[in-house]
Amino acid sequence: MGIYTYAFLRHSPEPLDLPTGISGSLHLITVNQICALVEPELEFEALQQNDSQLLQAVIAHDRVLQEVFQQVDILPLRFGTQFVSEKGLLQHLTSNYLTYLDKFAQLKGQAEYVLKFIPTDKDEPDISPEIKGKDYFLAKKQRYQSQLEQQNQRQKELDDVKAAIAQFYIDTLYESKDGVERIYLLADRTHEAALQGQIQQWQALCTHWSISLGNALPPYHFV
């Protein structure tokens, strides 16, 4: 049975309030200043035999990361991360010790935020069936041109706001899916109010988008 691992974190002089894991208690395995947050008794392979249990495990994994992240900086690991044994985990931490120290120095006090851009343009009305002949083709052409202008304007606004964001935040990632644009960025957790104010400015640049800001998250995309 492998040793299920949630995250790496720096050793804290203050005791952490460790939550319950997927099915049992959590422990810390430490090498100098780096700790691994593990659930050593979890039988992960058995969870994969039941879709409902697997879904609950995914939710629990994310909950653990969120609760620990409220107390200390972490390097979150993907759901399902296991090491063959505690010895293997210790060897991994020892071999990558300096790399993880450097990563913690880069991410100190940082959180991941997700900016979601949802299009607000209304669909063009359908062409009336009463329009015939040349008038129909003219109406169809005008409808297409209007749609194209909206798309071009929407893309220009998105490019402009990306450029504006890049002036303040170096670490950014972009994702486009199902018509929704997402921008992942790293920001100091203590500066969240300033980020909220910047979003209002960016929204003014984006009349064809609705911008929303997610909660502070562990740096999933930046580890």
Side-chain angles (χ1 to χ4, degrees):
M1 183 173 65
I3 183 165
Y4 190 89
T5 309
Y6 290 85
F8 299 138
L9 50 144
R10 290 206 61 168
H11 174 72
S12 173
E14 301 295 330
L16 298 177
D17 183 13
L18 297 181
T20 302
I22 293 173
S23 64
S25 60
L26 304 183
H27 303 279
L28 294 174
I29 294 177
T30 305
V31 172
N32 296 324
Q33 293 298 311
I34 301 296
C35 304
L37 181 64
V38 304
E39 186 172 344
E41 302 301 324
L42 178 65
E43 297 183 6
F44 184 73
E45 286 72 17
L47 288 175
Q48 299 180 76
Q49 307 306 314
N50 185 297
D51 289 343
S52 177
Q53 289 184 353
L54 190 61
L55 176 59
Q56 292 303 312
V58 172
I59 295 172
H61 179 95
D62 187 61
R63 171 185 54 77
V64 167
L65 296 180
Q66 296 280 7
E67 292 187 27
V68 177
F69 183 60
Q70 298 304 314
Q71 305 174 61
V72 66
D73 292 334
I74 66 173
L75 302 181
L77 299 178
R78 292 181 180 275
F79 173 75
T81 298
Q82 295 187 93
F83 288 85
V84 175
S85 63
E86 181 173 337
K87 180 180 178 180
L89 175 55
L90 289 170
Q91 289 175 342
H92 175 84
L93 292 177
T94 300
S95 299
N96 296 276
Y97 182 72
L98 294 179
T99 300
Y100 289 142
L101 279 183
D102 183 61
K103 180 62 71 172
F104 274 114
Q106 296 175 31
L107 297 174
K108 184 177 181 180
Q110 302 288 302
E112 177 178 311
Y113 293 90
V114 185
L115 296 178
K116 185 182 295 184
F117 292 71
I118 300 176
T120 58
D121 295 334
K122 295 181 179 179
D123 293 334
E124 293 291 321
D126 293 332
I127 300 173
S128 172
E130 298 179 359
I131 300 177
K132 306 293 183 181
K134 292 183 179 179
D135 290 338
Y136 171 80
F137 288 106
L138 178 60
K140 190 173 182 179
K141 179 180 179 181
Q142 290 174 338
R143 186 173 187 269
Y144 172 77
Q145 289 177 332
S146 178
Q147 291 174 334
L148 186 61
E149 288 173 0
Q150 285 193 41
Q151 292 173 4
N152 291 338
Q153 180 62 27
R154 189 162 56 231
Q155 185 60 51
K156 182 181 183 304
E157 291 178 354
L158 185 63
D159 292 341
D160 288 345
V161 80
K162 284 182 178 180
I165 291 173
Q167 294 179 9
F168 293 94
Y169 301 96
I170 298 175
D171 296 301
T172 56
L173 291 171
Y174 307 103
E175 179 184 65
S176 179
K177 185 176 180 181
D178 299 329
V180 177
E181 301 286 336
R182 291 176 176 83
I183 300 179
Y184 302 90
L185 57 86
L186 277 179
D188 192 312
R189 280 193 268 185
T190 63
H191 297 166
E192 186 171 319
L195 177 57
Q196 291 279 9
Q198 288 172 322
I199 289 176
Q200 295 180 13
Q201 298 175 20
W202 298 333
Q203 181 67 80
L205 298 174
C206 296
T207 59
H208 291 73
W209 299 91
S210 174
I211 306 177
S212 63
L213 175 67
N215 296 325
L217 300 172
Y220 295 114
H221 290 84
F222 300 95
V223 297

